[in-house]
Amino acid sequence: MDSFEPDGNGKESLPPPPPVVPSDVVPLKAEEVLSMPAEPVKKKAACVPIARRGLGSKGMKIQLQTNHFKVNVTKNDGHFFHYSVAFSYEDGRPVEGKGVGRKIMDRVQETYHSDLNGKDFAYDGEKSLFTIGSLPQNKLEFEVVLEDVTSNRNNGNCSPNGHGDNESDRKRMRRPYRAKTFKVEISFAAKIPMQAIGNALRGQETENFQEAIRVLDIILRQHAAKQGCLLVRQSFFHNDPKNFADVGGGVLGCRGFHSSFRTTQSGLSLNIDVSTTMIITPGPVVDFLISNQNARDPFQLDWAKAKRTLKNLRIKTSPSNQEFKITGLSELPCKEQTFTLKGKGGMDGEDGTEEITVYDYFVNVRKIDLRYSADLPCINVGKPKRPTFFPIELCELVSLQRYTKALSTLQRASLVEKSRQKPQERMKVLSDALRSSNYGSEPMLRNCGISISTGFTEVEGRVLPAPRLKFGNGEDFNPRNGRWNFSNKKFVEPSKIERWAVANFSARCDVRGLIRDLIRIGDMKGISIEQPFDVFDENPQFRRAPPMVRVEKMFENIQSKLPGAPQFLLCLLPDRKNCDIYGPWKKKNLADFGIINQCMCPMRVNDQYLTNVLLKINAKLGGLNSLLGVEHSPSLPVVSKAPTLILGMDVSHGSPGQTDIPSIAAVVSSRHWPLISKYRACVRTQSAKVEMIDNLFKQVSEKEDEGIIRELLLDFYVTSARRKPENIIIFRDGVSESQFNQVLNIELDRIMEACKFLDENWEPKFVVIVAQKNHHTRFFQPGSPDNVPPGTVIDNKICHPRNYDFYLCAHAGMIGTSRPTHYHVLLDEVGFSPDELQELVHSLSYVYQRSTTAISVVAPICYAHLAATQLGQFMKFEDKSETSSSHGGLSGAGAVPVPQLPPLQENVRNTMFFC
């Protein structure tokens, strides 16, 4: 809260007093401060992403189309003027409610059109407003009156003036119905040259360019807001039931569109794509709650949970059709909850008041028939001290309200299934969207001299040949369509399973038959599997016990009967997804005992399924399933010539609503150079929602570094014939373009510090590549129903005008439309040619040991993601006090220590336990 906003008592809360200055301090004059010699600080210049070094040429050329639409800009000499906007009530209190801004600014435009010189403006819905050319003065003040400011956002669900309200409702709700007066202050903030866009397209990015593009994006947002859309960043969602797909739990997937301006090698383009957000199912509140809690009827509902779910949602009440925001629920059911009703005043003018129940008021005074509300809580739409109650059956949730909690596994699967589209269907939907959005009618775009073409941009792609793979018995294979299989093939480096056992957590299956099949298939793949020591079935009395207890009891049973620690444990789980035994089981095996283990749910087991399980087991036990021919020979450009360490880095955050769960950073590193197929991981927690990785370098004393990078460097040295890496190639996932400079200037710096701390005379060369999956560029084969072929790379026409980036679709998209990975090369001190770098990235999509397909993003990044997710399961069941260690990193506020992950046992730390 701003320090000058009134506090709860209506008094102004003043800023804290300045600190007391000790009496012995002599103040320095400003000039003296300036003239003092600066201490010599070795401040290195800030790094920025490198420029493109040319285009690749390898591979078979292929003509493609992409969902970028060419934008013509005819005006290049004007300026955007940026104004900041402040709203206050008549008494000077600032307006804090979100969403009312657009209504106020629409009214300003209607009422004061001539005072604004008849100018159109683009308003971002919060505190910024942009015009083309200046307003008449640098500071303007207006007053506007709005009749009805109950809704936070007008989503086009109700006409702004169609109230149809009823007199007695007005009485009960005196305050919100009153017309309110708002003061609007518009003051000049900055001037942005339109030329900045033209300069950026020529590769000369200025600070103004981001701002200028932002103005164009805000114009698109405002255009959508005027059509009554829900806005989520640069995506727009219309209130049209044919765009809704029910995913269960009272939640709908709502299909809309993303649109944003991008600068590309061939000029400015508008990127339009299909986008989906989650919304609450509109309609009766009770129906939503029953669906959300999977209850049989309203009398089975958990009202404490309902209260949390409903808070701040918007409803319409019948019969008045008025819109309110839910502030809570009544303590008592409708037929017992009372309020004070003011009488009409009798003949002698006295005003009588009476206590009446909400139920009686609506049934007897308002004559509204209530069928089931009597025994249910009322919906409160008033203030905590002045509640206003409505019976629940008179309340309907309005449409287009976002659902921001994490989806369950079933909901997510349903969403994926219902929102996927084949390439041709997607192209048609996008063409229609561009037509119906009618950007040509938007005056702000016309005034910028902007017109948008309606045709998909044509681009030339290249299809890189798949790398040759090596299997056991010296067998070679060329993958076809990004796939291969292991039928009649042996693993290239099979492991042996000798001392092992099975832990069965009440999974219903023929365990002996499963073991027999596993041994048989292992034999076909070259893995020699002995008979297990025993099968440990869970004691039925613990089936309903908490997950940690079940795991504890299972281990007590195993320890009492096994002669020593097993080399491997196979765990049979009762549930396929989200089994709550998984986290505690992994923690027990990896952190407490150091046992390699594999979980499976034996529901639909066949030979293919068991082969896939063996792919994972073999990798975890130190084997290799397949190798690249270029690793074996070794003949990868650059990487095979000099010791090269490959890192994959990722941070996984809790779901949107969870602010107290630490983020988990994982870094995986290659080992056994010249291989690029074997990795190990290092995982640490850090403050919630922090994207930059914290513990890369962590100096705890003059000689000691407990950081992630030191651990990985030492492992590389030990496994690569005692050679230090001369090149370090870093793949970073999950950062946006606005964070590229932080990756180069914070994370890379820490990695360099860790290297220097290990040996200050050692200077490896670095390559930094960011991989992005969360973008909206898609490619289509004209006239073909299929996705682009695996290995398709695009580095021209729609890539960045200056920076070094390319799109690669390494995988075969079988369902829906393939999403290419957007790779950004931020730094390359090694000097790869574009073809060499693209070949390396493509090759790294073929070394993922868990599958027999090329994957869509390089394997080290996938592994980092797996490692972070798996160890994140450790935290789920931990007692807070147990995991927070005194030397834990401090979180953002500096007060609460971040709970640390328990360290993994030495013997599993270097394995691919995450596979």
Side-chain angles (χ1 to χ4, degrees), residues 97 125 320 465 470 558 595 682 685 690 856 875:
S320 67
K470 276 217 152 331
I558 293 173
I595 300 169
C682 186
T685 50
V690 171
S856 61
M875 307 294 288

Side-chain angles (χ1 to χ4, degrees), residues 18 22 31 46 133 164 218 246 278 283 338 391 619 632 653 691 708 765 837 854 893 900:
E31 304 86 81
I218 286 168
D246 190 350
M278 310 317 299
T338 59
H632 187 260
H653 307 289
E691 185 53 60
I708 294 172
K765 292 178 178 160
L837 201 56
Q900 299 296 295

Side-chain angles (χ1 to χ4, degrees), residues 654-669:
S655 49
Q658 302 171 317
T659 46
D660 53 343
I661 289 182
S663 292
I664 295 183
V667 184
V668 304
S669 63

